[in-house]
Amino acid sequence: VHTVNPLITTSYIITVTDSSGCKDLDTVVVGVNPPLTLSASDEVICDGESTTLIASAGGGGGPYTFTWQNGGPVNSDYTVSPSINTSYTVVLSDGCSLNESKTVTVTVNPNPVAYFDWYCDTIPRSTTYFNDGSTVSQGAIVKYIWDFQDNSPLDSLSGSSTSYEFSGSGGYNVALTVVTDNGCSNTATRTVVAPPTASFTDRKSVV
């Protein structure tokens, strides 16, 4: 018995000699699988979202077995929805090679809190002024989308504060959506009572 431990696929020649001096040769090939490789990527989500971690393998001899630690599935894909930054570790095996492991981190960005208030000015025209009061605990708000639900061509405007002249008096469900530099968003909807539009009729006295 001869024990070998080649690093690459290697051929070995075996010579057998009997008591009469006769010889015979044979060749034995010891195949060496390439090392296991395991890859998976970090992910970034907004609070309340989910993401699917995907592990991929190479090398070895297969078949591959993926095992996510801490109660995760025995599968290459793992759908998670953490509420805080969380790390996940996956272990790869093929029943022959040394196991490989990989740790990935899911970063959870906070959602902004949308808010706005308003006031009306009837002079010189019936205009409603909107002031943004939205906040976010991390990052910055970079986009503001106003929806005045007025069925008018200027139904949506951008800007942290703006003004709008409704087509008529009454209540309108105005919505403000804010988006952060991390792509997280939140919407606030409030009922705004538009001011009436003043109108005058010229009444001439008849003498």
Side-chain angles (χ1 to χ4, degrees):
V1 177
H2 182 62
T3 301
V4 296
N5 187 26
L7 298 179
I8 60 174
T9 298
T10 304
S11 297
Y12 296 90
I13 299 176
I14 302 172
T15 302
V16 178
T17 304
D18 63 12
S19 59
S20 301
C22 298
K23 295 181 179 180
D24 192 15
L25 301 178
D26 196 6
T27 300
V28 176
V29 178
V30 178
V32 179
N33 293 323
L36 280 176
T37 60
L38 175 62
S39 62
S41 300
D42 295 335
E43 299 291 340
V44 179
I45 62 173
C46 298
D47 189 17
E49 293 181 342
S50 62
T51 187
T52 299
L53 306 175
I54 301 176
S56 58
Y64 301 126
T65 300
F66 300 87
T67 304
W68 292 91
Q69 302 295 289
N70 301 322
V74 182
N75 191 34
S76 61
D77 299 354
Y78 186 13
T79 299
V80 298
S81 53
S83 58
I84 60 174
N85 296 349
T86 305
S87 295
Y88 301 87
T89 299
V90 59
V91 177
L92 170 66
S93 63
D94 68 350
C96 177
S97 310
L98 294 176
N99 291 351
E100 284 289 318
S101 65
K102 175 77 173 181
T103 299
V104 296
T105 299
V106 177
T107 301
V108 182
N109 288 318
N111 293 317
V113 178
Y115 178 81
F116 66 92
D117 56 19
W118 69 92
Y119 67 93
C120 301
D121 185 4
T122 58
I123 300 175
R125 61 185 184 275
S126 301
T127 302
T128 304
Y129 296 88
F130 296 89
N131 296 315
D132 168 63
S134 305
T135 59
V136 64
S137 61
Q138 179 182 322
I141 297 174
V142 296
K143 188 175 184 180
Y144 304 81
I145 304 171
W146 295 90
D147 185 354
F148 298 101
Q149 300 182 0
D150 190 22
N151 296 321
S152 62
L154 298 177
D155 199 31
S156 296
L157 298 175
S158 298
S160 59
S161 297
T162 188
S163 62
Y164 189 75
E165 187 173 353
F166 291 94
S167 59
S169 60
Y172 295 86
N173 292 324
V174 176
L176 169 62
T177 299
V178 292
V179 184
T180 69
D181 52 357
N182 292 315
C184 302
S185 63
N186 182 244
T187 300
T189 302
R190 304 185 68 185
T191 300
V192 176
V193 178
T197 302
S199 62
F200 301 92
T201 300
D202 185 13
R203 294 185 178 180
K204 296 182 179 180
S205 299
V206 178
V207 179

